[in-house]
Amino acid sequence: MIKFIQKKFRAADFYLTDIDYKFIFDFEAFLRNHKPLDHQKPMNNNGVMKHIIRLKKLVHLAMRLEWITKDPFMNYKLRIEKVNREHLSDTELAKMESKVFEIARIDLIRDLFVFCCYTGLAYVDVINLTHDNIVEASDGEVWIRTSTQKNPIQL
């Protein structure tokens, strides 16, 4: 958002009270047209909507705190596209497991991803695991005991 405010308003910051429907509309257009300079691809629709959702949460928090009185999202419609995700085949998973990366950090990410595939745990749940989550059952088998973190999008 900082890049948007700098480019659009030639300013370092922006007052919450000045956020209106046009600001949101222009921010969406900026995100859709932004061309990253690094290795990343431009955002798809749902990536853009994720940024808008975060802004909407902050605006609604500001309203609850009575910092602003008018909801600039009142007439704005989020357009999230349903994505059908395919499962990895055994061959694809095996390729992922055996892939060696030159960067240790990427190797770790690969290992976490493969672990998630085998356990069915979400990334956030794997990151939150501790040694206390590894337990031994009465039959000697080792298990992961944890509660999953659900984080639904609240609009």
Side-chain angles (χ1 to χ4, degrees), residues 88 92-118 123:
L88 289 178
E92 291 169 325
L93 186 54
K95 280 184 183 177
M96 181 65 75
E97 287 180 64
S98 62
K99 175 73 175 165
V100 177
F101 295 97
E102 294 179 15
I103 303 170
R105 178 178 54 86
I106 305 299
D107 267 339
L108 175 62
I109 292 168
R110 182 221 36 235
D111 292 343
L112 289 170
F113 175 79
V114 170
F115 185 78
C116 289
C117 290
Y118 281 114
Y123 176 80

Side-chain angles (χ1 to χ4, degrees), residues 3 30-44 48 51:
K3 288 181 184 178
F30 172 82
L31 292 172
R32 290 189 187 284
N33 296 316
H34 179 68
K35 305 281 189 266
L37 299 177
D38 56 9
H39 65 280
Q40 297 176 345
K41 297 178 185 175
M43 276 187 264
N44 63 17
V48 170
H51 284 281

Side-chain angles (χ1 to χ4, degrees), residues 38-104:
D38 56 9
H39 65 280
Q40 297 176 345
K41 297 178 185 175
M43 276 187 264
N44 63 17
N45 178 72
N46 289 356
V48 170
M49 289 296 113
K50 192 69 176 169
H51 284 281
I52 301 292
I53 287 168
R54 289 182 187 115
L55 175 60
K56 184 175 182 176
K57 284 181 179 183
L58 290 173
V59 165
H60 285 173
L61 174 62
M63 289 177 61
R64 285 191 297 278
L65 294 171
E66 298 178 357
W67 294 348
I68 59 175
T69 56
K70 187 178 176 201
D71 181 5
F73 282 91
M74 187 170 48
N75 295 317
Y76 184 85
K77 175 121 171 86
L78 290 166
R79 295 176 306 278
I80 298 174
E81 296 171 358
K82 185 168 173 66
V83 177
N84 185 20
R85 295 191 178 122
E86 298 287 326
H87 292 77
L88 289 178
S89 68
D90 290 340
T91 305
E92 291 169 325
L93 186 54
K95 280 184 183 177
M96 181 65 75
E97 287 180 64
S98 62
K99 175 73 175 165
V100 177
F101 295 97
E102 294 179 15
I103 303 170

